[in-house]
Amino acid sequence: MKYLTDFQLLNDNQQGFRPSRSCVTQLLQLVHEWLQAMDKLGSVDAVFLDFAKALDKVSHAHVPYKLECYGIKDQILSWLRDFLTSRKQRVVIEGQASDWLSVTPEVPQGSKLGPLLFLVYINDLPYSVTYNSDLVADDAVLHCHIRNRLDCDLLQEDLSSTSEWSSRVLGLIKRTFGYSNKTGIKTAFKALVLSSRTLAQSGTLIW
């Protein structure tokens, strides 16, 4: 974590699993930005996303590649690759143990390294969108100051980009979705559209 922090490699909009950051710091930042927009008599659209079982969809093959892109090489990279490779788990209850089961995609939960590797894995999500994206681990908020119809269209493009990113990085296959209700898509996670005029639940997709 010190290496990633000292060289400012983690996206600054990620508030999860980091020292002195939490969902509270994210909330304070969001409220500050939204109030600034409203002080200018503007409105804010925000879409709240929760990627289903994101920690269970981390590719063990891709994590070492991303670590290497951030300058982690040689023995440390080899050690981290070994940490993720050939993992097995079983359940033991009152001395009785189940068979060993191979663990393929997921970060090792309950470990100190697991959350850090997850942050590295999803670190490029904010770079795939045009407007603001704030994260607490795998919970994301896409939001923008709405001035005209173009801003609404660009927010829709950000949602589509997020959908493509999650398909590519988390392996989620899903239908196209939007934050307006015109397509009548069934709701699988909540997307709230906030503005000075309305607070409405918007249609999204089935994961």
Side-chain angles (χ1 to χ4, degrees), residues 151-171:
D151 290 329
C152 296
D153 293 339
L154 289 175
L155 182 57
Q156 174 60 62
E157 290 180 10
D158 280 353
L159 278 170
S160 299
S161 297
T162 303
S163 174
E164 293 171 5
W165 176 90
S166 62
S167 295
R168 183 178 70 255
V169 177
L170 299 177

Side-chain angles (χ1 to χ4, degrees), residues 33-99:
E33 293 177 7
W34 295 349
L35 288 177
Q36 280 186 321
M38 292 179 181
D39 283 342
K40 298 175 183 177
L41 302 181
S43 62
V44 176
D45 281 9
V47 184
F48 293 78
L49 309 175
D50 183 11
F51 296 104
K53 298 184 180 298
L55 275 74
D56 297 335
K57 296 181 173 67
V58 173
S59 168
H60 290 180
H62 294 162
V63 170
Y65 170 75
K66 288 201 169 188
L67 290 170
E68 190 171 8
C69 290
Y70 289 122
I72 299 173
K73 300 178 180 179
D74 303 326
Q75 289 184 341
I76 295 179
L77 180 62
S78 178
W79 179 73
L80 289 171
R81 185 181 286 110
D82 290 342
F83 176 72
L84 294 170
T85 303
S86 302
R87 297 188 66 87
K88 295 180 181 293
Q89 65 184 14
R90 66 175 178 174
V91 177
V92 180
I93 301 177
E94 296 182 354
Q96 301 298 313
S98 67
D99 294 333

Side-chain angles (χ1 to χ4, degrees), residues 22-204:
S22 66
C23 57
V24 175
T25 58
Q26 184 203 44
L27 179 60
L28 290 173
Q29 178 178 324
L30 290 175
V31 170
H32 175 70
E33 293 177 7
W34 295 349
L35 288 177
Q36 280 186 321
M38 292 179 181
D39 283 342
K40 298 175 183 177
L41 302 181
S43 62
V44 176
D45 281 9
V47 184
F48 293 78
L49 309 175
D50 183 11
F51 296 104
K53 298 184 180 298
L55 275 74
D56 297 335
K57 296 181 173 67
V58 173
S59 168
H60 290 180
H62 294 162
V63 170
Y65 170 75
K66 288 201 169 188
L67 290 170
E68 190 171 8
C69 290
Y70 289 122
I72 299 173
K73 300 178 180 179
D74 303 326
Q75 289 184 341
I76 295 179
L77 180 62
S78 178
W79 179 73
L80 289 171
R81 185 181 286 110
D82 290 342
F83 176 72
L84 294 170
T85 303
S86 302
R87 297 188 66 87
K88 295 180 181 293
Q89 65 184 14
R90 66 175 178 174
V91 177
V92 180
I93 301 177
E94 296 182 354
Q96 301 298 313
S98 67
D99 294 333
W100 287 101
L101 181 66
S102 296
V103 179
T104 44
E106 73 173 35
V107 294
Q109 300 185 39
S111 66
K112 290 183 179 291
L113 273 176
L116 180 59
L117 295 176
F118 179 74
L119 291 186
V120 171
Y121 191 68
I122 68 167
N123 194 49
D124 56 346
L125 170 58
Y127 301 115
S128 67
V129 300
T130 302
Y131 282 115
N132 300 313
S133 61
D134 293 88
L135 298 96
V136 176
D138 61 334
D139 296 325
V141 183
L142 304 181
H143 59 101
C144 70
H145 182 186
I146 300 297
R147 303 172 184 84
N148 49 50
R149 177 65 190 181
L150 177 61
D151 290 329
C152 296
D153 293 339
L154 289 175
L155 182 57
Q156 174 60 62
E157 290 180 10
D158 280 353
L159 278 170
S160 299
S161 297
T162 303
S163 174
E164 293 171 5
W165 176 90
S166 62
S167 295
R168 183 178 70 255
V169 177
L170 299 177
L172 300 175
I173 307 301
K174 47 196 174 300
R175 295 194 287 269
T176 303
F177 64 102
Y179 84 105
S180 64
N181 278 318
K182 60 184 179 181
T183 55
I185 302 172
K186 294 182 180 179
T187 299
F189 59 78
K190 291 181 180 178
L192 299 180
V193 179
L194 283 74
S195 73
S196 59
R197 301 177 301 277
T198 182
L199 175 62
Q201 179 171 320
S202 135
T204 54

